[in-house]
Amino acid sequence: MYDAQSVPHALDRVLTWLIDSPIGGRRRVSPYVNWQTFSRLATGIACAFGRPIWGLNPASTTLSCPIHPMRLYASNETTDRETRTALTPETAEKLIRSGFEVTFESGLGARADFPDAAYEAIGAQPLDRDTGLAQADVALWVGPPELSAVHKMKRGALSAGFLDPFQRRDVLEAFVNQGVTGVSLEMMPRSTLAQKMDAISSQANIAGYMAVIVAAERLNRIFPMMMTPAGTLSPVKVFVIGIGVAG
C-alpha cells in the first residue's frame, strides 16, 4: 500500500538509480531514456505530490509547477456549544511541510485557546469563508457543515469531519448535488490499518473523564473512602457502562 510519502520516495530512488553514472560517480542520462523526458517526469511528480523529489523542490522559485499544491481550508464551527477545532497549529505545520497549502477562517481555534497568530506563525493564511471554501480541495470541520457552506464548495472537493450521516441526510444530499466527497470520521473502521484515522477513541476518552466529573458534581456524597476520628465514610459504588477494549 502506497501513500503520499512513500510514492515520491520510491520514484526518487528509481530515477536516481536509472541515471546515476557508474563511471566517476557523475550523473548522466541513461542511453535508453531522454533527459527531457526524465526532467518532465520528475517535475510532474514533485508538483503533484507537493514534495521534493530528485533534487526538485516544488516550493522552489526555479521550479514551475503546472498544477497548484493541494489547498486545505479549515472552517469555524457554527454551533455555540462546540469548542473543538478541526485543525490545530501543530497539525497545520505538519500539513504544510507535506506540501499542502493551508488556509483557515479567522477565529478557528479561539475557543480551544489557539489564536490566529499561532497559525500564521507556521505558514497558514487566514481567509474568509466564501473564498476559502470556493478554492479548497479539502475542507475540514468538526461537526456537519451547514448546507449554505456545502453549496459554496467546488465540485470535486473533499469534506472531512463528523457528519452524523444517519441524522443529517440533508447534508449528504447536498454533497451529492454539489459533487463533493464527504468523509464521515465517526464511520472510520477501528482496524489496525486505520488507527491513524480513528477519531472516535480520543473523543470517547475525553467523554469518559467528563462523565466522572459530572457524576461527582451531581452526587450528594464524596467518591473516596475516608477514615476520620468522627467515623468512616464508605466509598461510592460506581457502575461503569461502556464499550470497546476498556468497556
Side-chain angles (χ1 to χ4, degrees):
M1 180 175 294
Y2 299 101
D3 55 30
Q5 295 184 1
S6 62
V7 171
H9 178 68
L11 291 176
D12 179 79
R13 294 184 62 183
V14 171
L15 290 174
T16 302
W17 176 76
L18 284 174
I19 66 172
D20 270 346
S21 171
I23 303 176
R26 296 179 304 160
R27 268 184 164 179
R28 66 174 176 83
V29 182
S30 168
Y32 303 104
V33 293
N34 181 273
W35 165 264
Q36 293 182 347
T37 300
F38 262 109
S39 179
R40 287 196 298 267
L41 176 60
T43 301
I45 294 170
C47 293
F49 286 93
R51 296 175 59 84
I53 180 172
W54 194 47
L56 297 172
N57 190 343
S60 172
T61 56
T62 60
L63 178 58
S64 178
C65 290
I67 58 177
H68 62 75
M70 184 170 287
R71 292 170 177 164
L72 185 147
Y73 183 72
S75 177
N76 288 340
E77 301 303 310
T78 56
T79 59
D80 294 334
R81 296 181 59 185
E82 184 60 75
T83 60
R84 295 173 296 179
T85 178
L87 185 67
T88 65
E90 180 182 358
T91 304
E93 183 176 17
K94 293 179 181 178
L95 291 169
I96 292 173
R97 288 179 178 177
S98 296
F100 284 88
E101 180 182 304
V102 177
T103 56
F104 66 97
E105 185 175 4
S106 181
L108 172 68
R111 295 182 183 178
D113 296 328
F114 295 122
D116 288 353
Y119 292 92
E120 296 181 44
I122 51 86
Q125 298 298 321
L127 204 60
D128 66 90
R129 176 174 293 199
D130 291 353
T131 304
L133 292 176
Q135 296 180 355
D137 299 303
V138 180
L140 299 181
W141 330 75
V142 174
E146 295 180 331
L147 298 182
S148 59
V150 177
H151 296 155
K152 295 173 183 177
M153 298 179 67
K154 67 180 182 181
R155 183 169 296 274
L158 183 145
S159 173
F162 293 112
L163 298 182
D164 193 12
F166 296 109
Q167 303 297 327
R168 296 301 306 273
R169 293 186 62 86
D170 55 338
V171 175
L172 301 186
E173 292 174 358
F175 281 152
V176 173
N177 296 332
Q178 192 70 12
V180 173
T181 299
V183 177
S184 188
L185 296 181
E186 69 265 45
M187 302 302 292
M188 288 285 186
R190 294 184 62 191
S191 64
T192 302
L193 294 177
Q195 282 183 348
K196 291 184 178 180
M197 297 181 288
D198 179 12
I200 294 295
S201 296
S202 62
Q203 304 308 295
N205 286 337
I206 295 173
Y209 281 109
M210 189 64 188
V212 175
I213 295 174
V214 172
E217 190 274 331
R218 295 193 176 186
L219 198 63
N220 59 359
R221 55 186 297 184
I222 62 175
F223 265 44
M225 179 181 72
M226 296 187 67
M227 301 180 65
T228 70
T232 300
L233 297 178
S234 301
V236 170
K237 294 181 180 179
V238 178
F239 177 45
V240 179
I241 304 174
I243 59 175
V245 178

